[in-house]
Amino acid sequence: MKFKKKVVSLLFLLIGFLNTTSAQENLSLQEAITIALRNSYDIQLVSNDVQIAKNNSNIGNAGLLPRLDGTVTEGGSLQNTTRTQSSGTEQTLNGVRNTNMSYGVALGWTIFDGLQMFTNLERLKELEKQGAVNAKATILSTISGVVNAYYNVSREQQLVVARDSALDVSTLRLRIANNKLEIGRGSKLDVLTATVDYNTDTSAYLQEQSLLRNSKVTLNQVMARDLNISFRVDTVFDINSSLEYVGLARQMEQLNPELQNAFISKKLAELDLKLVKGQRYPVIEVNSGYEFQRSLSPTGFNTQQRANGLTYRLTASVNIFNGFLQRQNERNAKILINSSELTLDRTKQEIGAQLLRTYQNYSTNLDLLKVERNNVDVAKQSLDITLEKYRLGSIAPLELREAQRNSIDAVARYLEAQYQAKLTEISLKEISGTLNIQ
């Protein structure tokens, strides 16, 4: 009777799980990546940085364009004045109001500064490129995170099915043990042992369901959407087994964002040296403008004055001596170039080593996948044969349990081999800069 209650409870649990599953959406990998690329906070933040760098990359920000300023000034005074003339006559004026007003436009243009303005423009363009490279790195990282999380859900989804199948075998074994006990051909010990194994498999099944739910939460988090959305994913692991190391290494040299960033940093260091050297040359500026002035002074020699006209000026300045700071700044800039070259070489070596290690793991995982796929077939055949013999009563329950354990372990190892093979494939594509949504 207790066994029947347990079976009924489990059936209700499975029915509830199936009903929940039927209401879930089918989520493909490409849909998951599209959602993540649209919602990702990191991508939105780096996109803002790219836009700022793009806005800054212009000739005006580099200093190539003139400056034009307009000014308007109006003021005055209200005074009490006492004047003594040479004849001794004293004159007192109260509330004398003086006013003055001026307006005009002023043009300033640096026409030569040791070519620093052109170097600045080139530097701004490199910063724009660096922003685009950082954006690409963020996109690749986001896609990689989605793929990893997606296939983890797929693995857990299949493990739930495997645990469910194992639970079916334990249910059948417990029913057979109870039937044998009722007709006097079995023992209470067999029933108790079957009950313990049944409970163990039930616990494992429930734990696997919990892992599946948590993996879905992780994928929802990576996609930056509502964490409570439930869904189903594809269970087919489409693994590309034809990746070649030589081709990946060549693509890495050209497309890896971290390497591209190191190249740009080296270029920026070289441009910084050009800026410092440009300070050795004179700076030539042209200034011009138009101004109108008017003033009223009732007590002055001229009671009213007006003036308007064009102004112009050519200015040249050169740094003759600044306490040897010029030489010091140039030396420091050269050291920074050397540091950027060392960083580039180190980055090449680190990423090259990462690619080689990942490719070796990728090759090993493909070999393991073939072995584990064969193990699943062998373990399934063994379980089928053992189960049939157990029904006929020709083997002991422990042999069935061992075959059952071997079968679920083989499935778990096969799914893990699939998952690891896919992870290393995605990692290789990310390192080589060729990862996309296809």
Side-chain angles (χ1 to χ4, degrees):
M1 192 66 182
K2 290 182 179 179
F3 169 69
K4 290 182 178 180
K5 289 182 179 179
K6 289 179 180 179
V7 172
V8 170
S9 299
L10 180 60
L11 286 175
F12 277 115
L13 178 64
L14 292 176
I15 291 172
F17 173 72
L18 291 175
N19 288 337
T20 302
T21 303
S22 62
Q24 296 174 350
E25 65 170 319
N26 291 317
L27 181 68
S28 69
L29 176 59
Q30 188 164 353
E31 289 171 342
I33 293 174
T34 301
I35 293 171
L37 293 179
R38 182 176 63 247
N39 297 342
S40 171
Y41 299 111
D42 291 336
I43 291 179
Q44 294 181 55
L45 289 171
V46 77
S47 296
N48 289 339
D49 294 337
V50 170
Q51 188 61 47
I52 291 174
K54 184 177 180 180
N55 293 339
N56 289 338
S57 181
N58 58 76
I59 59 176
N61 199 35
L64 286 165
L65 296 180
R67 303 174 304 277
L68 186 63
D69 299 317
T71 59
V72 176
T73 304
E74 185 170 359
S77 62
L78 188 63
Q79 298 177 337
N80 297 324
T81 304
T82 300
R83 297 186 301 185
T84 302
Q85 300 177 352
S86 59
S87 61
T89 304
E90 186 177 275
Q91 183 182 17
T92 300
L93 300 172
N94 295 322
V96 177
R97 182 179 181 85
N98 300 313
T99 62
N100 57 78
M101 185 269 289
S102 67
Y103 61 83
V105 292
L107 174 70
W109 194 356
T110 301
I111 59 175
F112 182 77
D113 63 350
L115 304 179
Q116 292 182 66
M117 62 183 77
F118 296 98
T119 304
N120 268 327
L121 180 60
E122 191 176 355
R123 191 175 188 277
L124 290 172
K125 290 180 179 179
E126 290 298 323
L127 288 173
E128 184 180 358
K129 292 179 184 178
Q130 191 174 55
V133 169
N134 290 335
K136 179 184 176 181
T138 303
I139 291 173
L140 288 177
S141 177
T142 300
I143 294 176
S144 177
V146 171
V147 174
N148 290 352
Y150 185 91
Y151 282 108
N152 186 41
V153 174
S154 179
R155 178 186 60 170
E156 295 298 339
Q157 198 168 277
Q158 294 178 80
L159 281 173
V160 167
V161 175
R163 291 292 181 186
D164 184 29
S165 299
L167 190 57
D168 289 340
V169 174
S170 295
T171 302
L172 177 61
R173 175 187 164 195
L174 183 57
R175 183 170 67 247
I176 293 174
N178 275 286
N179 290 339
K180 286 183 178 180
L181 181 63
E182 289 177 0
I183 62 177
R185 295 182 56 189
S187 66
K188 183 67 175 177
L189 179 60
D190 288 343
V191 174
L192 293 176
T193 303
T195 302
V196 170
D197 292 339
Y198 168 82
N199 291 336
T200 300
D201 291 341
T202 301
S203 175
Y205 174 76
L206 294 176
Q207 290 176 356
E208 202 61 56
Q209 276 193 315
S210 177
L211 291 174
L212 174 60
R213 288 192 294 268
N214 289 336
S215 66
K216 289 182 178 181
V217 171
T218 300
L219 180 53
N220 281 329
Q221 181 184 8
V222 174
M223 292 188 291
R225 68 173 187 173
D226 186 355
L227 301 177
N228 295 308
I229 295 178
S230 189
F231 53 88
R232 290 193 306 271
V233 300
D234 297 333
T235 56
V236 177
F237 281 63
D238 185 15
I239 300 173
N240 184 354
S241 59
S242 61
L243 297 178
E244 296 181 355
Y245 175 75
V246 175
L248 291 170
R250 184 172 58 252
Q251 291 170 323
M252 178 198 73
E253 291 279 351
Q254 300 174 353
L255 302 175
N256 181 273
E258 194 171 348
L259 268 181
Q260 290 179 328
N261 215 331
F263 276 114
I264 293 174
S265 295
K266 179 177 176 292
K267 179 67 174 179
L268 289 172
E270 293 170 349
L271 292 174
D272 287 339
L273 177 59
K274 288 180 66 175
L275 285 174
V276 174
K277 287 184 175 180
Q279 296 173 5
R280 287 182 174 271
Y281 298 92
V283 176
I284 301 175
E285 294 183 351
V286 173
N287 296 279
S288 181
Y290 178 85
E291 187 175 22
F292 173 84
Q293 294 180 346
R294 185 186 65 187
S295 61
L296 297 177
S297 180
T299 60
F301 182 77
N302 297 315
T303 59
Q304 182 175 339
Q305 180 177 335
R306 293 184 182 181
N308 64 285
L310 184 67
T311 62
Y312 57 88
R313 183 173 66 252
L314 179 65
T315 304
S317 61
V318 62
N319 174 31
I320 298 176
F321 179 74
N322 63 351
F324 301 110
L325 291 179
Q326 178 66 31
R327 185 172 59 181
Q328 172 187 310
N329 293 337
E330 290 183 13
R331 287 175 176 174
N332 290 340
K334 291 177 181 178
I335 293 173
L336 290 176
I337 291 177
N338 179 256
S339 296
S340 66
E341 291 172 347
L342 293 173
T343 300
L344 176 59
D345 293 339
R346 183 185 64 185
T347 303
K348 284 182 179 180
Q349 187 181 50
E350 289 177 350
I351 296 180
Q354 184 182 1
L355 179 69
L356 181 57
R357 286 194 300 266
T358 305
Y359 188 81
Q360 290 173 349
N361 292 335
Y362 166 76
S363 300
T364 301
N365 288 332
L366 291 180
D367 293 336
L368 288 174
L369 186 58
K370 295 176 184 178
V371 174
E372 297 301 342
R373 183 185 293 115
N374 183 60
N375 277 345
V376 170
D377 296 335
V378 172
K380 184 178 183 303
Q381 293 178 24
S382 176
L383 178 61
D384 291 341
I385 295 172
T386 305
L387 183 59
E388 186 60 29
K389 287 184 176 181
Y390 179 75
R391 285 173 177 167
L392 298 175
S394 60
I395 62 172
L398 288 179
E399 294 183 55
L400 174 61
R401 184 61 178 174
E402 184 65 22
Q404 182 187 15
R405 185 180 294 111
N406 289 339
S407 178
I408 188 65
D409 288 346
V411 171
R413 289 197 308 271
Y414 172 62
L415 292 176
E416 179 65 20
Q418 274 191 321
Y419 181 62
Q420 293 300 327
K422 190 63 183 180
L423 290 191
T424 49
E425 174 202 333
I426 296 303
S427 182
L428 284 174
K429 291 180 178 179
E430 183 180 5
I431 296 171
S432 62
T434 59
L435 181 62
N436 53 44
I437 64 174
Q438 300 299 329

